[in-house]
Amino acid sequence: MTPEELVEKTSVQSEALRIFVQQQTTRLADFGRRLQQIVQQLRKNIEVRDTNFAEEFNQFVRDLRDTLDKREPVWTELRAQIRQIPSKSWTGDLALSAKGLNSRAKVLSRASDEFGTEYDRFRKDYKSFTAAKLNVWLLTACQADIQNLTGKIVFIAREISRKTDQHRSPYAK
């Protein structure tokens, strides 16, 4: 693959991951609200009305894990291909595309941070909840994987941007 194709593919994959993470953040926020309600009902000795919560949450976490596992090889391959490109091949004419990728990576990083925030909120409410077995450990692993993958994507985007800036002609700077 050419450097231009790699930047474009990485940019598309980064955007797809951002959309996915934002969707999962919304779903996790919904589960967090439901958990808060259940915890309040238990404290007040009211019958819990949300009887499907544990089953739906565990399914959500399994689906999240499966999707992340499917996306990981794509990112591993992309990162390997980017590392194989010699530094001289990152020409200055790719600077605009590289800056676009860098911008998308930053937006992905914000989405990942939002997911982490929702995860922290959920975990805070979960500490006082023992009525059902929830696979929170799997959610913890997923959250860590999202953070790690995002960090790697941001690093690669910065490196590509840096390399393309180095090879820009002096009059373009």
Side-chain angles (χ1 to χ4, degrees):
M1 262 190 188
T2 67
E4 186 174 356
E5 292 170 339
L6 282 172
V7 168
E8 181 61 31
K9 188 173 181 180
T10 305
S11 186
V12 167
Q13 289 294 324
S14 179
E15 184 66 14
L17 184 60
R18 180 196 61 83
I19 291 168
F20 172 74
V21 169
Q22 285 181 329
Q23 291 169 344
Q24 301 315 304
T25 301
T26 303
R27 289 186 67 197
L28 184 57
D30 180 50
F31 280 114
R33 283 188 293 279
R34 289 171 64 186
L35 180 62
Q36 279 181 336
Q37 191 173 30
I38 290 170
V39 168
Q40 288 174 357
Q41 290 170 353
L42 290 172
R43 277 191 203 137
K44 296 176 183 178
N45 290 326
I46 299 173
E47 182 180 341
V48 176
R49 294 175 224 132
D50 193 351
T51 57
N52 296 332
F53 176 77
E55 180 182 319
E56 290 175 13
F57 176 78
N58 288 337
Q59 185 61 45
F60 159 72
V61 175
R62 281 192 299 269
D63 292 344
L64 179 61
R65 176 81 269 158
D66 290 344
T67 304
L68 289 175
D69 287 345
K70 289 176 186 172
R71 288 177 185 257
E72 182 63 32
V74 172
W75 283 108
T76 302
E77 180 184 328
L78 270 174
R79 289 190 341 259
Q81 289 175 350
I82 288 170
R83 283 189 207 108
Q84 291 176 354
I85 302 290
S87 185
K88 294 176 185 175
S89 298
W90 297 105
T91 58
D93 59 339
L94 293 174
L96 188 59
S97 297
K99 288 189 185 298
L101 171 62
N102 198 14
S103 177
R104 282 194 176 91
K106 288 177 184 177
V107 173
L108 170 63
S109 179
R110 277 187 234 118
S112 177
D113 289 344
E114 289 172 12
F115 185 83
T117 300
E118 284 302 323
Y119 164 75
D120 289 340
R121 285 184 190 141
F122 184 88
R123 216 179 72 210
K124 179 183 157 204
D125 291 328
Y126 176 72
K127 286 182 180 179
S128 61
F129 179 71
T130 58
K133 293 282 187 184
L134 299 180
N135 291 339
V136 176
W137 61 272
L138 194 54
L139 180 63
T140 302
C142 291
Q143 191 271 338
D145 289 349
I146 289 171
Q147 289 291 330
N148 290 337
L149 182 58
T150 300
K152 291 174 184 177
I153 293 167
V154 169
F155 178 78
I156 283 178
R158 285 181 188 153
E159 284 297 303
I160 290 172
S161 185
R162 184 182 59 79
K163 287 178 182 179
T164 57
D165 278 348
Q166 287 176 347
H167 293 101
R168 290 177 71 188
S169 60
Y171 62 86
K173 291 183 181 174

